Amino acid sequence: MRKLLIILTSLLLTACVDDSASYHVDGENGGHVLTLHRVQKHFWSKDSDVEIIIQHLPDCLRRIPLTAMPADDVEVELLSGGDNVWTLRAGEEVWQVESQTCSQYPDVKGDGGELIGVFRVDEKKLVFEAAVLETVPDTAPAHK
């Protein structure tokens, strides 16, 4: 009976997801961080609850629930509108938060701003991938 309990316990623990990925606004040593967290509450559930954790120390720290998503298919874009306004977009769902006071806006305003990166699952782990900005070559002829 004890062996069966050990096997069942290990199955319950290995099937659940609980991880996060962070974007450090001020670099690795700053206290201004946006963290996306996903948690799959039950091993039989295919969805995970997704939330954003806003940290802007010493001013504020807050968790804001966003939505439920397939546990292995979380993908959320992070956009910056400037002035500590951030837009999170997952498909048709969009949220806007402000990180000076760690609050969520009731309505999304504007186009979201510049793409900063994407939170997504890579090899079963949630990661943040920064956007790659491409420079546009100057094709205009030089004036003499």
Side-chain angles (χ1 to χ4, degrees), residues 32-44:
H32 192 181
V33 183
L34 301 173
T35 300
L36 196 77
H37 177 236
R38 70 176 174 148
V39 62
Q40 181 184 14
K41 292 183 180 176
H42 309 288
F43 75 93
W44 60 83

Side-chain angles (χ1 to χ4, degrees), residues 101-114:
T101 59
C102 297
S103 57
Q104 181 178 11
Y105 292 151
D107 300 311
V108 175
K109 296 178 177 121
D111 65 355
E114 176 185 353

Side-chain angles (χ1 to χ4, degrees), residues 4 22 24 31 49 64 86 103 105 107 112 122:
L4 179 62
S22 297
H24 297 264
D49 292 330
I64 299 174
W86 308 92
S103 57
Y105 292 151
D107 300 311
D122 184 21

Side-chain angles (χ1 to χ4, degrees), residues 58-73:
D59 298 328
C60 64
L61 175 64
R62 182 174 175 201
R63 290 177 180 260
I64 299 174
L66 298 179
T67 190
M69 300 176 120
D72 57 351
D73 193 26

Side-chain angles (χ1 to χ4, degrees), residues 5-17:
L5 183 60
I6 291 170
I7 291 170
L8 288 175
T9 302
S10 65
L11 286 175
L12 290 174
L13 294 175
T14 59
C16 291
V17 172

